[in-house]
Amino acid sequence: MYLEWNVAVDEENLMLRTFLRGKFVSKLLLTSVKFSEDGKIEVNGKEENVLYRVKTGDHVRITFPKEQENERLLAEYGELPIVFEDDFILVLDKPAGMTSIPSQYHPSGSVANHLKGHYLRNNIDSAIHIVTRLDKETSGLMLIAKTRYAHGRLSTLHQTGYVTRKYQALVSGNMGMRSGSIIAPIGRNPDSLIERAVVADGKYAKTNYQVLASYPTFDHVKIQLETGRTHQIRVHFAHVGHPLIGDSMYGGPTELLGRHALHSCHLELIHPFTEEKMAWDSELAGDLAEILDQNK
């Protein structure tokens, strides 16, 4: 894979490495190009050192090393609900019950397994870099980077607020306020290897919510994250006394649903290369929609 640019007037006399850093090619990625057999940096068709000073109108092309495939990852060939794909990113609408990545005791059935099969079946020379991981029981939109360049760029955009994720959830009981924010630090639960909790020395976490509709025993809420801590939505709503329906790990009632009632319904981002603003929406998962219909 390669990327290429023409040097603009205001970029005249920059060192090549500075020019490339301005195109979001990280120092680590530049190093991987420098010390690989198949990576190279060219100016006007000729390989150049990163200390070269670019001139207006120069044509710069960087060829990235081949993505390293995880040979231990098992390929699976079931259909994936892909909603967008290009050379840099892939967005899919994950069903509930599918893990994002395999584990030691569950080496198959994950999004990553199926993505490897998708790549092999379609002769796609890309890697799997999951940007917005979803819990196994969470359904909805999920973002994957296909190259190290895209992953690094998207991670930066994510950290600076240019990747927006919105969710819908069914939370037990009725919220006291129709909209608001839950701000509470999240860290590991000292009594569990898996669970998170609101703890004094945890990392800052903020969850914004709006109640869309109220029912006798639960609220239908829309959520926008300002941070992305593990289990953040589940922990925050449990912390304020309204755990998600079906979320037995954090004290949610399980009479209506056998999985936690959380759906990733909106994803918005700046494309890592074209810088185009892009957005996708996903309809509420069928099992959650059915609960709403039954309680009207």
Side-chain angles (χ1 to χ4, degrees):
M1 179 201 165
Y2 64 87
L3 295 175
E4 51 191 356
W5 307 268
N6 290 319
V7 178
V9 174
D10 60 354
E11 296 168 323
E12 172 84 32
N13 207 41
L14 289 176
M15 280 196 295
L16 185 52
R17 68 184 178 194
T18 305
F19 172 84
L20 290 170
R21 291 295 296 275
K23 304 303 180 184
F24 311 107
V25 179
S26 68
K27 182 178 179 180
L28 185 63
L29 199 47
L30 274 178
T31 301
S32 73
V33 171
K34 180 178 178 181
F35 292 103
S36 71
E37 294 182 1
D38 49 352
K40 57 184 176 179
I41 304 170
E42 300 169 284
V43 179
N44 303 323
K46 177 186 174 184
E47 286 199 55
E48 290 288 356
N49 186 281
V50 292
L51 300 180
Y52 170 87
R53 292 197 174 268
V54 299
K55 303 176 183 64
T56 302
D58 276 352
H59 183 75
V60 178
R61 174 167 168 161
I62 180 168
T63 302
F64 296 109
K66 184 177 180 180
E67 292 286 331
Q68 296 298 310
E69 179 183 340
N70 183 348
E71 295 182 356
R72 292 179 296 175
L73 181 65
L74 302 174
E76 295 186 55
Y77 295 91
E79 290 302 315
L80 270 179
I82 295 172
V83 298
F84 178 83
E85 182 178 13
D86 65 10
D87 290 339
F88 300 92
I89 64 173
L90 184 149
V91 178
L92 60 87
D93 199 344
K94 186 183 85 67
M98 177 181 278
T99 58
S100 293
I101 58 173
S103 63
Q104 180 180 356
Y105 299 108
H106 298 92
S108 62
S110 74
V111 167
N113 294 116
H114 285 82
L115 281 175
K116 183 170 183 178
H118 171 71
Y119 288 173
L120 291 175
R121 182 169 52 202
N122 293 282
N123 296 313
I124 298 172
D125 184 19
S126 294
I128 300 164
H129 304 279
I130 295 177
V131 181
T132 58
R133 185 182 299 186
L134 297 181
D135 294 337
K136 178 181 178 181
E137 300 305 333
T138 303
S139 54
L141 297 170
M142 187 170 167
L143 175 62
I144 290 91
K146 297 174 72 175
T147 69
R148 282 177 288 177
Y149 170 81
H151 190 214
R153 177 75 173 119
L154 283 168
S155 294
T156 300
L157 290 168
H158 200 186
Q159 291 166 7
T160 52
Y162 288 98
V163 176
T164 300
R165 294 176 292 158
K166 295 180 181 179
Y167 295 78
Q168 291 187 51
L170 307 183
V171 303
S172 57
N174 298 124
M175 303 291 293
M177 297 178 63
R178 302 297 292 179
S179 63
S181 299
I182 304 170
I183 304 172
I186 293 176
R188 290 188 177 276
N189 182 337
D191 298 322
S192 172
L193 295 174
I194 300 173
E195 293 179 33
R196 271 31 178 200
V198 170
V199 291
D201 61 347
K203 293 182 178 179
Y204 174 82
K206 183 177 181 180
T207 302
N208 302 314
Y209 72 89
Q210 176 187 0
V211 176
L212 298 176
S214 290
Y215 299 82
T217 60
F218 66 90
D219 276 350
H220 177 199
V221 299
K222 193 166 188 177
I223 299 158
Q224 181 171 340
L225 294 178
E226 288 198 20
T227 52
R229 309 304 175 202
T230 301
H231 296 181
Q232 178 172 323
I233 292 171
R234 300 165 63 191
V235 170
H236 268 176
F237 280 95
H239 176 66
V240 297
H242 298 280
L244 272 59
I245 285 177
D247 193 356
S248 58
M249 179 178 289
Y250 292 105
T254 58
E255 296 83 8
L256 293 177
L257 193 65
R259 60 112 169 175
H260 57 251
L262 184 61
H263 181 77
S264 173
C265 64
H266 180 82
L267 175 64
E268 189 174 314
L269 56 85
I270 302 296
H271 192 280
F273 180 58
T274 67
E275 298 191 1
E276 175 188 1
K277 187 175 181 179
M278 309 181 79
W280 300 269
D281 290 291
S282 169
E283 290 187 5
L284 189 64
D287 55 349
L288 305 188
E290 185 177 353
I291 291 174
L292 297 183
D293 288 340
Q294 291 174 347
N295 287 270
K296 281 184 178 178

